[in-house]
Amino acid sequence: MQSPVAQMAKLDYAVNAVLFLSYVATGKGDKVGLMTFADDVMQFVSPRQGRGQFYRMLELLYAVQAQPVEPDYQRALSYLAIKQRKRALVVMFTDLSGGLSTQTLVGQVSMLARHSLPLIVTISDPDVHAAAQQRPHNMLTVYQRATAQQLLDERQLALDSLRRQGVLTLDVPANQLSMAVINRYLELKGRMLL
């Protein structure tokens, strides 16, 4: 979540979306909670109602920083399973970096889907999309295009795998993240899935 999109880290976009979502959800009378993690759980705030909860989350998120490590999805979601026993919408902002961590995410979130309603939110990178669409003019651009397309293909496979496991996904550009998350929350609430 450290990588930048349009001069701002993906984590900052995620923090803005989380705060916007928590503000709207508390306004609708829903309980909201928060967990931050990297290779270990860093912060956990039990779900509560009210604007005070929003301000607790605001204070906590103000200090959160991206960590240069692979996320430990198994540890984080095992911790969440102990702390959150009731059915809930679990919105996880993450960066599908591929490899073993993505496979672990798919396995762990599919287990979470048995008892809750998980929504995996990822931020698409316009630079990767542009690199995959560029016309190859030399060996460097051929390599860039092939690498970008491979990244997009791996990402799509992971998202498709999550969907097959009953996990909701949202993959949007950074500048649309907050509104897309709010709209999905309101849609799920309107369909009485929460």
Side-chain angles (χ1 to χ4, degrees), residues 1-16 123 174:
M1 299 295 282
Q2 286 180 279
S3 61
V5 174
Q7 312 300 324
M8 196 163 115
K10 287 183 179 181
L11 178 63
D12 294 330
Y13 287 104
V15 165
N16 289 341
I123 301 170

Side-chain angles (χ1 to χ4, degrees), residues 31 50-51 53 147:
K31 293 180 180 179
R51 290 287 183 222
Q53 183 74 336
T147 302

Side-chain angles (χ1 to χ4, degrees), residues 5 29 71 73 105 125 150 176:
V5 174
Y73 296 113
L105 171 66
D125 190 331
Q150 181 180 357
Q176 298 172 21

Side-chain angles (χ1 to χ4, degrees), residues 77-78 80-81 84-90 104-120 162-168 193:
L77 293 176
S78 295
L80 183 63
Q84 179 62 39
R85 297 201 178 266
K86 293 182 179 179
R87 178 175 165 77
L89 172 64
V90 177
T104 304
L105 171 66
V106 171
Q108 292 298 309
V109 173
S110 64
M111 290 191 301
L112 178 65
R114 295 177 192 159
H115 306 290
S116 287
L117 183 60
L119 170 61
I120 302 300
L162 286 164
R163 290 180 192 120
R164 281 192 303 276
Q165 301 291 329
V167 176
L168 301 172
L193 295 175

Side-chain angles (χ1 to χ4, degrees), residues 12 23 35 91 96 101 123 128 151 179 183 193-194:
D12 294 330
Y23 186 81
M35 182 174 79
V91 182
L96 295 177
S101 68
I123 301 170
V128 174
L151 288 171
M179 286 310 301
N183 288 337
L193 295 175
L194 305 180

Side-chain angles (χ1 to χ4, degrees), residues 3-186:
S3 61
V5 174
Q7 312 300 324
M8 196 163 115
K10 287 183 179 181
L11 178 63
D12 294 330
Y13 287 104
V15 165
N16 289 341
V18 168
L19 290 172
F20 193 24
L21 175 60
S22 66
Y23 186 81
V24 171
T26 56
K28 294 273 186 192
D30 288 335
K31 293 180 180 179
V32 295
L34 175 73
M35 182 174 79
T36 62
F37 69 94
D39 57 346
D40 200 1
V41 174
M42 299 157 95
Q43 302 282 345
F44 181 81
V45 176
S46 295
R48 291 186 193 158
Q49 289 178 307
R51 290 287 183 222
Q53 183 74 336
F54 168 78
Y55 292 111
R56 279 188 283 284
M57 292 173 58
L58 176 64
E59 185 176 323
L60 184 134
L61 287 172
Y62 180 74
V64 76
Q65 294 183 3
Q67 302 294 314
V69 295
E70 285 291 317
D72 190 334
Y73 296 113
Q74 183 174 2
R75 180 177 284 181
L77 293 176
S78 295
Y79 183 90
L80 183 63
I82 292 167
K83 293 290 194 176
Q84 179 62 39
R85 297 201 178 266
K86 293 182 179 179
R87 178 175 165 77
L89 172 64
V90 177
V91 182
M92 182 186 300
F93 293 82
T94 189
D95 197 10
L96 295 177
S97 56
L100 186 57
S101 68
T102 299
Q103 292 171 5
T104 304
L105 171 66
V106 171
Q108 292 298 309
V109 173
S110 64
M111 290 191 301
L112 178 65
R114 295 177 192 159
H115 306 290
S116 287
L117 183 60
L119 170 61
I120 302 300
V121 180
T122 60
I123 301 170
S124 62
D125 190 331
D127 292 337
V128 174
H129 284 278
Q133 299 299 318
Q134 70 180 325
R135 293 183 55 158
H137 299 293
N138 55 38
M139 287 307 291
L140 177 60
T141 57
V142 168
Y143 174 76
Q144 289 172 337
R145 181 177 175 160
T147 302
Q149 190 58 55
Q150 181 180 357
L151 288 171
L152 292 175
D153 291 346
E154 288 173 1
R155 182 183 192 88
Q156 191 59 52
L157 285 172
L159 290 169
D160 290 344
S161 181
L162 286 164
R163 290 180 192 120
R164 281 192 303 276
Q165 301 291 329
V167 176
L168 301 172
T169 63
L170 188 59
D171 184 33
V172 294
N175 64 345
Q176 298 172 21
L177 184 65
S178 292
M179 286 310 301
V181 170
I182 295 303
N183 288 337
R184 181 61 63 93
Y185 159 76
L186 293 172

